[in-house]
Amino acid sequence: GGPGAAWCSTSTSRFVGRHRSFADGDLPRRPLRRVPVHCPVHSGRCRRTGSAASETAARHVKSDREAWSVWARAALTFVANTLAATLVGAPYTYTGESLRDRVGPRWLWYFWVRLPPVLCASYFAFPSLCRAAARYFPASPALNQVITSLFAPIVSLIYAIIAGQVVVSLWTRLYSIRTLLSRELAERVDGEVHASGIALPQGLELEGLSVASAIAKEYPHEQFRRVVVVSGPGNNGGDGLALARHLFLFGYSVTVVYPKMDQMVEKSELFARLVLHLRQLGLEPVRELPGLQDFDLAVDAIFGFTFKGWRGGGKDAPFDAIVGALAASPVPVVSVDVPSGWDTDAGPPESGAALQPDMLVSLLCPKQCARHFRGKHHYLGGRFVAPGILERHGLSLPPYPGCEQCVRIPA
């Protein structure tokens, strides 16, 4: 045979070969794959008598193979992106957190955080852009080579970074469930911490220092110099007195609001000493909340995890009015351990004014109500819980970097 001639044999393994010439008008330019075609003359398979059938079968086989190839590539891409997520995404996320705490210029941090959404939008818009560009720029081998060698790896890396952030964020949220304490467990852990040798005065000092350190990270005194600290009648109020002193030493102009000061000073020597120390620094606590518009930042240290709800009938005065004023505050509000008025387990109240702080500093371990926190900054302080206590209750806390007294909890 010549061009287009039949090729057949009586062998049991006869297949269509690449012998057909491109001169045949009824044939595609690309050589067909070897497709078996039954020959009615011979007992084997013949190419000439099955010309139309062979082309149909070739198309079916080719489409099936391409479909399987697409699914295989998709599966391999998924596996590769998952591996890339753990290798690229985790360092990306934690490096961003480190940059945010250590780099002075905030533009770098904002660029680092906002880059993935922009790249994600570009990734999904990329195929549409390619189709639009194909209408005006005809495809060429050089262009295909550039896209394959340059743009495809870049898009894959972008996708890996975005997928990595998603994986790390979801894993952090799932893993953080082990760190959220109910009221009952929080009381038990708090008791065990004091039984381990950390007395109440030590705990208040360390917690106040950790909250003041977290505030200094997010609200530097150069921009938020005037701070009002509202202290409640319990240990959470003691944290407020301690952190007010530390903020003053950090360079802030502090005003302390302590409505129950007379009762607490008369009742407890510890709180009397805390007030005395403030007075030695020239900070005289006041009993009424001034206008919040005169300050740059407000600190809520009224109620902690032992709060069991409003009693009503004037029994909560003046703190119910103060919490209402903080809920409508024109300046950022920082809550200590638990936002005042929130239930430790259920979160904010369903009715009435609910305080939504801009920043929450959990102490010892985050409480279950932290799931409802929608503010910008969430920190953990109180770096004095013995490892044995954490192991006993199956708790896992984020590691504190270096000698820091607080650690940022990812959103």
Side-chain angles (χ1 to χ4, degrees):
W7 176 80
C8 58
S9 174
T10 57
S11 173
T12 57
S13 60
R14 304 170 185 87
F15 290 90
V16 175
R18 296 178 181 268
H19 63 284
R20 301 186 66 190
S21 172
F22 294 129
D24 294 336
D26 61 334
L27 296 178
R29 292 190 176 184
R30 295 180 59 185
L32 295 173
R33 293 186 177 90
R34 298 187 176 185
V35 182
V37 181
H38 181 72
C39 178
V41 179
H42 301 86
S43 59
R45 300 178 186 272
C46 179
R47 176 67 185 88
R48 187 182 186 102
T49 56
S51 177
S54 66
E55 292 183 9
T56 303
R59 295 191 188 98
H60 289 173
V61 172
K62 182 177 181 180
S63 61
D64 292 342
R65 289 181 178 177
E66 289 180 350
W68 281 108
S69 177
V70 169
W71 283 104
R73 286 197 299 269
L76 291 176
T77 303
F78 176 79
V79 174
N81 286 334
T82 302
L83 295 177
T86 57
L87 297 177
V88 180
Y92 180 90
T93 301
Y94 292 117
T95 303
E97 294 292 335
S98 177
L99 282 176
R100 186 183 184 285
D101 292 335
R102 299 180 182 180
V103 175
R106 294 300 179 95
W107 65 266
L108 181 59
W109 163 248
Y110 289 130
F111 172 79
W112 190 268
V113 171
R114 286 162 174 73
L115 181 62
V118 174
L119 296 182
C120 183
S122 302
Y123 174 74
F124 286 108
F126 185 74
S128 300
L129 295 177
C130 289
R131 286 193 295 269
R135 300 178 180 178
Y136 303 99
F137 302 98
S140 63
L143 180 60
N144 293 336
Q145 183 67 24
V146 170
I147 294 177
T148 303
S149 60
L150 181 60
F151 290 102
I154 293 177
V155 172
S156 300
L157 180 60
I158 291 172
Y159 179 78
I161 293 176
I162 298 171
Q165 281 201 304
V166 173
V167 169
V168 172
S169 177
L170 292 177
W171 173 254
T172 302
R173 287 180 177 272
L174 293 174
Y175 195 70
S176 66
I177 294 177
R178 297 180 57 191
T179 70
L180 300 180
L181 303 185
S182 63
R183 178 191 292 111
E184 179 182 358
L185 185 55
E187 293 177 350
R188 194 183 313 159
V189 170
D190 187 65
E192 293 182 10
V193 168
H194 292 311
S196 67
I198 302 295
L200 182 59
Q202 294 174 283
L204 294 181
E205 284 298 322
L206 292 174
E207 290 172 351
L209 177 60
S210 63
V211 176
S213 300
I215 292 175
K217 288 180 177 294
E218 299 299 338
Y219 302 102
H221 66 84
E222 292 85 359
Q223 290 83 26
F224 301 88
R225 180 174 178 79
R226 301 170 299 173
V227 181
V228 56
V229 179
V230 185
S231 294
N235 292 342
N236 203 261
D239 292 330
L241 298 178
L243 73 89
R245 174 165 26 89
H246 289 295
L247 287 178
F248 176 81
L249 297 176
F250 288 171
Y252 292 85
S253 176
V254 182
T255 299
V256 180
V257 180
Y258 200 16
K260 299 294 184 180
M261 178 175 59
D262 297 335
Q263 297 90 322
M264 296 303 299
V265 168
E266 182 179 355
K267 176 181 177 181
S268 170
E269 181 183 0
L270 170 60
F271 288 88
R273 289 181 177 275
L274 289 173
V275 173
L276 176 61
H277 202 171
L278 288 175
R279 288 171 174 168
Q280 293 295 323
L281 298 176
L283 301 176
E284 179 64 34
V286 298
R287 293 167 180 79
E288 296 183 0
L289 180 68
L292 295 178
Q293 67 276 3
D294 297 330
F295 298 92
D296 302 314
L297 184 69
V299 179
D300 157 40
I302 302 175
F303 299 123
F305 64 85
T306 58
F307 179 76
K308 298 182 180 179
W310 300 109
R311 297 170 295 176
K315 297 180 181 180
D316 303 310
F319 297 110
D320 50 354
I322 293 177
V323 171
L326 292 175
S329 172
V331 299
V333 177
V334 179
S335 288
V336 178
D337 200 17
V338 175
S340 294
W342 285 29
D343 183 84
T344 305
D345 298 333
E350 297 181 356
S351 60
L355 174 61
Q356 293 290 346
D358 299 270
M359 179 176 179
L360 174 63
V361 183
S362 299
L363 298 176
L364 302 186
C365 295
K367 313 306 184 289
Q368 287 189 1
C369 62
R371 296 180 180 179
H372 302 275
F373 173 67
R374 298 295 182 267
K376 299 178 181 179
H377 317 293
H378 188 190
Y379 276 79
L380 177 64
R383 188 180 182 177
F384 52 86
V385 183
I389 298 177
L390 300 177
E391 295 176 1
R392 190 178 306 120
H393 296 284
L395 302 174
S396 177
L397 301 181
Y400 288 85
C403 57
E404 296 287 346
Q405 294 299 313
C406 60
V407 57
R408 183 179 177 88
I409 298 178

